[in-house]
Amino acid sequence: RSSKGGCWRAAADAAPNVENLAPSTGSSQKHWELWARVGTTHPRPHIAVGLCLQRPHDVSCTAMTDLLGKTYVVTGASAGIGLATAAELGRRGATLVLVGRDLGRLEAAARQVTANAEHASSHVFAADLSLVGETREVARRIEERVGTVDVLLNNVGAVFPERGVTAEGIERTFALNHLGHFVLTTALLESLRSAAAPRVVEVSSQV
């Protein structure tokens, strides 16, 4: 959730329920936050997640949690919220798996987010996540490359002004914003379950 007067704080290690989210106000805390509640067959099925994102034009995220040794998959990582998230995670030492359609833009994003991050490392994977086949294939490649995934951040999304269908015959907005998230998550479940405290974060909007 976002708030003009402040932000909703959610500690990553908070007890697993969304009621632990609490408002915090202050002109210097204009951060965006994402949270999700996820149910799987993992022993810890309900997970509340909060992640502070930087608004680069006025403030920076002040959280200092060390993410060294943690692997984060970020979709739509070459621009916008995805890029800002990757930069913040990289600053804290995370291993980044950046996913998007354009390999050149992903490689540029990877250089950007690791340039001033002493311990960050990155992998890039180009795939069209509106296509089920490509989504399953990129999940297989990610699993093969990194094995365990600590956090999957399903950020990719788009608004199409006119109706259209993918090469697989699925309406584009639904395919990218909803089906792609579901397919990628289910395809990476084994990699997520192998982590000590796996999390899935869903980025959404009013679309």
Side-chain angles (χ1 to χ4, degrees):
R1 299 180 183 180
S2 63
S3 170
K4 291 181 180 179
C7 65
W8 288 87
R9 289 279 181 187
D13 295 323
N17 59 72
V18 295
E19 287 74 20
N20 283 324
L21 291 168
S24 173
T25 60
S27 60
S28 64
Q29 296 180 338
K30 296 178 181 178
H31 304 305
W32 290 345
E33 296 218 359
L34 312 175
W35 62 268
R37 185 173 181 176
V38 180
T40 69
T41 56
H42 188 270
R44 295 176 59 191
H46 302 296
I47 304 166
V49 176
L51 177 63
C52 190
L53 299 184
Q54 180 179 356
R55 296 183 68 177
H57 63 280
D58 55 2
V59 297
S60 60
C61 184
T62 57
M64 297 299 294
T65 305
D66 184 357
L67 301 179
L68 194 64
K70 301 293 185 181
T71 298
Y72 284 70
V73 176
V74 183
T75 68
S78 61
I81 292 176
L83 180 57
T85 301
E88 182 57 35
L89 296 172
R91 181 180 72 85
R92 302 192 212 174
T95 296
L96 301 170
V97 177
L98 309 182
V99 184
R101 287 185 303 169
D102 189 309
L103 182 59
R105 292 178 64 189
L106 285 172
E107 290 174 340
R111 289 192 295 271
Q112 178 180 335
V113 301
T114 58
N116 298 311
E118 182 179 358
H119 300 293
S121 61
S122 64
H123 309 275
V124 296
F125 294 89
D128 184 346
L129 299 183
S130 70
L131 299 174
V132 173
E134 285 199 30
T135 302
R136 287 176 175 157
E137 172 61 17
V138 79
R140 184 195 65 78
R141 290 164 55 207
I142 291 170
E143 187 174 39
E144 186 177 81
R145 176 75 64 86
V146 302
T148 297
V149 172
D150 294 280
V151 177
L152 167 61
L153 201 154
N154 285 315
N155 164 72
V156 69
V159 178
F160 301 101
E162 296 182 1
R163 187 183 187 280
V165 297
T166 68
E168 297 172 331
I170 303 170
E171 195 278 320
R172 290 187 300 172
T173 301
F174 175 75
L176 182 62
N177 295 6
H178 303 282
L179 184 59
H181 290 207
F182 173 79
V183 172
L184 186 60
T185 301
T186 54
L188 287 175
L189 275 182
E190 290 307 311
S191 292
L192 286 160
R193 286 173 178 149
S194 66
R199 293 165 182 161
V200 177
V201 178
E202 287 291 326
V203 181
S204 186
S205 68
Q206 295 180 348
V207 177

